[in-house]
Amino acid sequence: MKIIPSVKKHLTYCFGIFLFAFLLYGNSIKNKYALDDEMVILNNERVEKGIRGIPAIFTKHHSIDNKSQYEYRPVVLLTFALEYECFGRNPHISHFINVLIYALTCVLIFYLLSQFLSGYNIIFPFLTVLLFTAHPLHTEAVDNLKSRDELLALFNSFLALFFILKYIDSGKKYILVVGIIFLFIAILSKRGAVIFIALIPLTLHFFKNLSLKRILLIGCFGLIAYAGFVVFKRTMLSENPIRTFYYFENPLLFEHDFLKRIPAGLYTLWRYIELLVFPHPLSFYYGYNQVPIAGWNYPKVWISLMFYSAIFLYAVKNFQKKHILSFAILFYVFSIFPFSNIPI
């Protein structure tokens, strides 16, 4: 029997998730600045100029020091500049806003899941999102101010998905435009948001009764958002990026043999599964000597290969049936693979 929750019940669960996020992470509001915050917030003249620093925020790289200038995430610095304009240098306000963004993201995910799983008891998506909210892997992204780029990228990506789904239901083209704008903002927060160019059509296939042609057409609008990011970035930036890496930061950058990166990537993918299931011990740093450059002689490399091959084949087999587990697997695999260290 399908249980369709009332709007009032939705609001009750949304408020519960919002409150739960603050109960878990509210203790971080009392924190001060920490590692790497100086690169983005402290002594950043663009941020400390407040509104007057906005032109420089959009015309310079995200991180700038005496040796390097790299990445382009103006939306993140814009939020810190607006904070500085209103509250001055106040780490507690910054931590509060991080928790707020995370709480709103969790509420948004619940809303989307409750729509996707409308044939299930609402308790199922509710408990799923509570688990997501409480998962220790999210601690660094919420508690570390520098990681606001991750929060903004995820929040705006899900907002893009939300509005694109609304467009399909309503047929109003301006809602589609709003969705594309939010995806553009997500990519301006952190480039990793481009993965939603694939995740949005994937979601449409499983939860909307659309032809393949229309799904691909809507997917092309995601490409427009990325193309807009590329053009905008090249127009605004006048200097080329300079990034100096050291061996202890990422040893794989010094391994130029692509075939040797494959087992290391498979080991990394298995490490993600381990931390997802049993998130201990966690670290604020996963560079040198934290994750080994594994070869084919590592048992976990083969375990990873067999595990991911099995779940991917299962997902492909049930793709046309639109099985919910197939969607979950593909959503996870597409999201995590760019961070396997294999393609990049």
Side-chain angles (χ1 to χ4, degrees), residues 116-117 120 124 202-203 205-208 311-331:
F116 298 156
L117 304 175
Y120 294 78
F124 180 51
L202 177 72
T203 305
H205 167 76
F206 277 89
F207 301 108
K208 293 295 180 181
I311 64 171
F312 186 74
L313 288 174
Y314 176 88
V316 171
K317 182 179 178 181
N318 293 277
F319 183 79
Q320 292 300 331
K321 299 177 183 178
K322 299 185 177 182
H323 194 286
I324 186 64
L325 188 56
S326 175
F327 168 74
I329 291 170
L330 292 175
F331 196 98

Side-chain angles (χ1 to χ4, degrees), residues 1-5 9 13 110 113-114 117-128:
M1 177 180 179
K2 290 186 177 181
I3 300 178
I4 302 176
K9 186 178 288 188
Y13 285 112
F110 167 72
L113 275 183
S114 66
L117 304 175
S118 59
Y120 294 78
N121 191 307
I122 195 172
I123 294 297
F124 180 51
F126 178 68
L127 292 178
T128 301

Side-chain angles (χ1 to χ4, degrees), residues 73-216:
R73 302 168 189 170
V75 170
V76 183
L77 294 182
L78 175 63
T79 64
F80 287 122
L82 293 176
E83 278 179 41
Y84 196 91
E85 182 72 25
C86 297
F87 306 103
R89 181 184 288 188
N90 191 328
H92 311 304
I93 292 293
S94 296
H95 282 293
F96 170 80
I97 291 176
N98 264 29
V99 179
L100 178 63
I101 297 170
Y102 184 65
L104 291 174
T105 302
C106 294
V107 169
L108 181 57
I109 292 173
F110 167 72
Y111 176 82
L112 291 170
L113 275 183
S114 66
Q115 302 302 305
F116 298 156
L117 304 175
S118 59
Y120 294 78
N121 191 307
I122 195 172
I123 294 297
F124 180 51
F126 178 68
L127 292 178
T128 301
V129 175
L130 286 184
L131 177 60
F132 175 90
T133 306
H135 203 291
L137 277 180
H138 301 151
T139 303
E140 183 179 357
V142 183
D143 288 351
N144 182 16
L145 296 179
K146 178 180 174 293
S147 294
R148 185 178 293 182
D149 49 9
E150 299 282 2
L151 296 175
L152 287 171
L154 187 64
F155 179 59
N156 285 289
S157 294
F158 276 119
L159 276 177
L161 175 59
F162 170 82
F163 280 103
I164 288 173
L165 291 171
K166 287 295 183 184
Y167 156 72
I168 293 170
D169 293 337
S170 66
K172 298 177 180 178
K173 294 181 180 179
Y174 78 89
I175 298 180
L176 174 62
V177 174
V178 172
I180 300 306
I181 290 173
F182 274 113
L183 185 56
F184 175 69
I185 293 172
I187 300 171
L188 281 175
S189 301
K190 192 167 186 179
R191 192 171 48 179
V194 297
I195 192 62
F196 270 78
I197 295 174
L199 295 179
I200 290 174
L202 177 72
T203 305
L204 298 182
H205 167 76
F206 277 89
F207 301 108
K208 293 295 180 181
N209 188 22
L210 301 175
S211 66
L212 177 61
K213 181 179 179 180
R214 192 173 183 205
I215 290 174
L216 293 176

